[in-house]
Structures are given as structure tokens and as C-alpha cells.
Amino acid sequence: MPDPAIPALLAREAFDAVIVDMQHGAIDFSTALRAVPLIAAAGKPAMVRVPVGEFATASRFLDAGASGVIAPMINTIEDARRFAAFMKYPPVGERSWGPHGALALSGMQPGDYFQAANGLSVSLAMVETREALGIIDDILAVPGIDGIFIGPADLSIALSDGRELNPLSAEVEEALDFALSRVKAAGKVAGIYATSGARALELANKGFHLISVASDGAFLRHGAQMALAAARA
Ligand code: 3PY
Ligand code: MG
């Protein structure tokens, strides 16, 4: 939702991090930018999902003090390399210097931030197509890619050749297990989107490290439904 008060409010709940979604969310660049220090003020890492292919935007969010970026539809090695290049300073990548918000929020000296930044800025490549699954080892091997983030909805569309949207399908489940085993073999991080808290628990039990538990709109709808059900009972 396009208001920084929403991630600020959610950051005060018991989440480990808050993800601002610029791929499908209606939030614009400057509004999302304002969310970063509000999330950080709650002591939580601010993460941003950038629109498809907008790797320069990833750098700008790191400059503003975001702790990590999720890049959707990383379907080729070149996509992964370009994403990593914008996320990491040399010698790993080609990130350009100018971390105004990261310095202000962390209080670090520029030289110290420069030394630490590549380890502080988490880059997660979204695996959500057949192509990406097929080259998952190569994506994970790209220097500067810290892990993957699975999009089970798009994956279900891809794996069914466009026949269905079913993030809980047997095919998706099999792909999740495969992806997770590859991430573990690479010693990197596995993230995934869950459509509910109950699903998030299942995915945590499988071994995923970072799990997005539904969305602001879903929370609002759920809260409204609960209150109405109680009132109408
Ligand atoms: C997907 O399920 O495809 C996602 O990108 C989750 O947000
Ligand atoms: Mg997706």
C-alpha cells in the first residue's frame, strides 16, 4: 500500500524484517524511500523488492539504508550478474559510491561502511520460472548473489505452462524442495513468499530462512473479517 506509515506500523510487530514491494505494490520510489528509516527506527532491516530489471533502483535503496533487495524474474546468468553488480562494491560488483542514508542510519564512518557494505547488503535473486530453476546452481554461484527468493505464484504458472495459478501445487512443492537443496549445497540463503502464517510455518519447517508472511492488504482484510465475524456472531 502506498503509505510509509504501513511498513512503519508493521515494523513494530514481531517481524524480523519488513519488505517493501515495488514490483506489485502501488508504492512509488520516494514513498518507499521514506519507509526505509521508519523500518530501521523499529530496529528492523528494511528490504525492498524492486520492479523487474530495475537494478539501478536496488543501488539507490542501499544508498538510502535498505538492508537487502529482492530482484524479481532473474531468469538468466546475465540478469544475476547485473543485479549483483549493482548490489556490491568492487571488487565484487560495480556499485557506485553515495550511501547517504546508510551512513546516517548506521552512524558508520564512510571508510568503515565501504569495508563492511558488501557483507551488510543482502541480494536475493527471485527464482520463479522454469528457466531460473534450470540454472539455479549457476545463479547461486554468481559472486555477490547472497541467495534466492522463490515466487511460488509465478512458479506455478510457469510449471503448469500457463494452465493454472496454484502456489500449493505438487509441482511447485517438488520445485521448492529441489531449490532448497541447491541453496543449502551452495551455503546461501533461501527466501520465499508465503500466503499465510500457517503456510509460513510449513516453509520454515522445510528449512527456508526468510519467509514473507502474507501482505499488508491481506492483513487488513483478515483483520476486517475477524472483527466483522465477531461482531455478527
Ligand atoms: C510470486 O509468488 O510469484 C511472487 O513473486 C511472490 O510475491
Ligand atoms: Mg512473482
Side-chain angles (χ1 to χ4, degrees):
M1 289 181 165
D3 190 320
I6 291 167
L9 184 143
L10 290 172
R12 295 284 167 184
E13 297 303 320
F15 296 105
D16 299 306
V18 177
I19 302 171
V20 179
D21 183 12
M22 299 190 68
Q23 183 194 12
H24 294 298
I27 195 160
D28 65 20
F29 178 75
S30 64
T31 312
L33 216 57
R34 284 193 287 136
V36 171
L38 295 175
I39 296 167
K44 305 291 172 64
M47 302 195 64
V48 179
R49 175 161 72 170
V50 293
V52 176
E54 292 199 11
F55 304 131
T57 303
S59 282
R60 295 184 74 186
F61 275 102
L62 294 184
D63 287 347
S67 299
V69 176
I70 298 169
M73 292 286 175
I74 299 295
N75 294 331
T76 65
I77 304 303
E78 193 45 35
D79 289 342
R81 285 204 188 110
R82 280 189 27 85
F83 174 42
F86 279 96
M87 289 293 289
K88 308 288 180 179
Y89 288 117
V92 179
E94 298 166 23
R95 183 179 166 195
S96 164
W97 181 254
H100 55 92
L103 294 179
L105 289 173
S106 67
M108 291 170 84
Q109 292 303 311
D112 294 337
Y113 176 76
F114 176 71
Q115 292 301 332
N118 285 354
L120 292 174
S121 312
V122 179
S123 54
L124 299 180
M126 285 198 75
V127 168
E128 46 186 349
T129 62
R130 217 185 263 283
E131 291 77 7
L133 263 187
I135 55 165
I136 190 165
D137 287 338
D138 302 315
I139 292 174
L140 285 162
V142 170
I145 295 293
D146 296 305
I148 60 152
F149 195 95
I150 303 265
D154 278 314
L155 199 53
S156 75
I157 294 171
L159 295 181
S160 69
D161 294 321
R163 277 190 299 275
E164 67 166 0
L165 171 71
N166 179 7
L168 302 175
S169 74
E171 266 175 319
V172 170
E173 206 66 20
E174 200 178 308
L176 298 191
D177 291 335
F178 167 72
L180 195 54
S181 72
R182 301 322 303 152
V183 174
K184 292 209 162 148
K188 294 199 170 177
V189 172
I192 187 163
Y193 181 82
T195 46
S196 70
R199 179 62 177 155
L201 178 59
E202 287 174 12
L203 294 166
N205 286 337
K206 258 189 200 295
F208 280 94
H209 306 109
L210 174 73
I211 304 163
S212 173
V213 185
S215 65
D216 49 6
F219 290 137
L220 192 59
R221 236 175 13 250
H222 183 67
Q225 286 164 359
M226 301 259 289
L228 280 169
R232 293 222 158 102

